[in-house]
Amino acid sequence: MLQADFDAEQVADVRRTLTECLLAAGLAGERLDDFVTAVNEAMTNAVRHGGGRGELRIWHRRHLVCEIRDHGRGFAAPLPTIPTRRPRPSANGGMGLWLAQELADSIEVQSGTNGVRVRLSMAVTDPAEAPPSPGLDGVAGSGGPGQASSSTGRGNRSSS
């Protein structure tokens, strides 16, 4: 559906193109806004913490999948767990992955010496109306070394 390289100056343009692609794929309303915001957080993290640039790919299977890669050094081992509660903001941010997890249907993060890959997914219909999806690649995530995953994104939303 879409593949784009980006740096800090291109994030807004890629976000606009992403929004158009998601609309064409049938995502709309609050779910569109949530997914665009989640992807934007991952793109911003790639620029800010992953070498100043990144790559975005999005495709549509039973649900929409967006992968953002950077070319930074990756996370220090072991990969940090994505917080389940709203973290306190800091001068370095610290809320991006948490927010992405809250807004997308699922998130998977992998880190290595060649960078970080964040994969987000969103069903075009509300998950309560769609049959359960086993995982981003058709199988449940392993959550193995160097990987954090969550398939409970939108269910964790809190009002605080």
Side-chain angles (χ1 to χ4, degrees):
M1 273 179 64
L2 173 63
Q3 185 167 346
D5 294 337
F6 60 88
D7 61 20
E9 294 178 7
Q10 297 164 316
V11 168
D13 290 337
V14 172
R15 187 176 56 240
R16 277 189 288 279
T17 303
L18 170 71
T19 302
E20 292 169 7
C21 288
L22 295 173
L23 278 166
L27 201 59
E30 183 179 337
R31 293 188 57 74
L32 171 68
D33 295 341
D34 287 352
F35 199 51
V36 169
T37 301
V39 171
N40 186 72
E41 289 297 324
M43 290 189 338
T44 301
N45 280 353
V47 168
R48 218 171 160 191
H49 307 292
R53 62 187 180 89
E55 303 165 9
L56 176 140
R57 286 185 326 128
I58 187 160
W59 62 94
H60 192 186
R61 289 189 179 153
R62 291 187 334 174
H63 47 276
L64 294 160
V65 180
C66 187
E67 182 176 279
I68 299 92
R69 290 180 182 260
D70 68 41
H71 301 284
R73 296 181 305 224
F75 292 108
L79 182 66
T81 303
I82 299 171
T84 56
R85 292 187 196 191
R86 182 180 181 165
R88 292 179 186 246
S90 71
N92 293 329
M95 295 183 63
L97 289 178
W98 171 80
L99 184 59
Q101 174 180 260
E102 290 295 303
L103 297 175
D105 288 343
S106 67
I107 184 171
E108 175 183 296
V109 179
Q110 291 184 326
S111 177
T113 56
N114 59 346
V116 174
R117 181 192 82 178
V118 176
R119 192 177 280 184
L120 303 158
S121 74
M122 183 72 97
V124 173
T125 58
D126 191 312
E129 300 169 12
S133 176
L136 296 177
D137 287 321
V139 292
S142 66
Q147 178 177 330
S149 63
S150 170
S151 58
T152 59
R154 294 177 59 80
N156 288 336
R157 221 181 243 200
S158 65
S159 58
S160 59

